[in-house]
Amino acid sequence: MIPILMRQQGKVPIVRVPWNDPAQIKKAYDAGAVGVMVPQVDKVDAVRAAIKYAKYPPIGERGISPYWVGPAREDYINVIKTANDETTLILQMESQEHYEQVDEILAIDGFDVLFVGPMDLSTSLGITGDVQNPKVQKIMEEMPRRAEGSGKIIGTILTTPDELQQKADWGYKFLIYSNPILAGIELINQQFANYRE
């Protein structure tokens, strides 16, 4: 329901589904998501499966029933005809296993963004939570270069303005800064700091 409301306001809803599952991916797009983000897509076969779940035929096998179209007052047939080009598929690279296959994965047509998840990547490298570790940062710095010429955008999440600038300088173009909970806590802390002064 929320993606439909966002579309009615002229916003671009992106939904992170819980897993690489056809029912979850279809539900998100059919509810009005422009982009769907799929976590822990670690193997070539999993990438191909996500594309199959996300795209209408002939590219994929997603069933056709975009029920957001009516409430958003969009043309049903036009939405169906343009959906494969107008929707975004974001796959999360969160393991060393994925990284080792990344060139083959980047060569696959049908997805738009490869999102590097530093926390899970650190876990797969045996250094859980140490996202600033040189092992993690080396992979992250390398990813935009590996993607050159693939037509894919590289993304990640970060928590400080300095890191935001660093990743932009490295070539990241899809950047999630902080999260609503952390941002809210930071704002509250600032307000209390002002109050104490």
Side-chain angles (χ1 to χ4, degrees), residues 14-32:
I14 295 176
V15 174
R16 182 188 184 275
V17 295
W19 198 245
N20 190 6
D21 174 75
Q24 296 292 334
I25 293 170
K26 174 179 169 47
K27 181 179 178 181
Y29 281 123
D30 287 351

Side-chain angles (χ1 to χ4, degrees), residues 32-48:
V34 172
V36 169
M37 191 172 192
V38 185
Q40 296 182 335
V41 184
D42 294 330
K43 297 184 173 99
V44 169
D45 288 347
V47 171
R48 295 190 192 283

Side-chain angles (χ1 to χ4, degrees), residues 171-188:
Y172 282 76
K173 299 202 178 342
F174 184 96
L175 297 167
I176 296 176
Y177 178 65
S178 189
N179 67 55
I181 294 171
L182 286 177
I185 290 170
E186 185 177 327
L187 182 61
I188 290 168

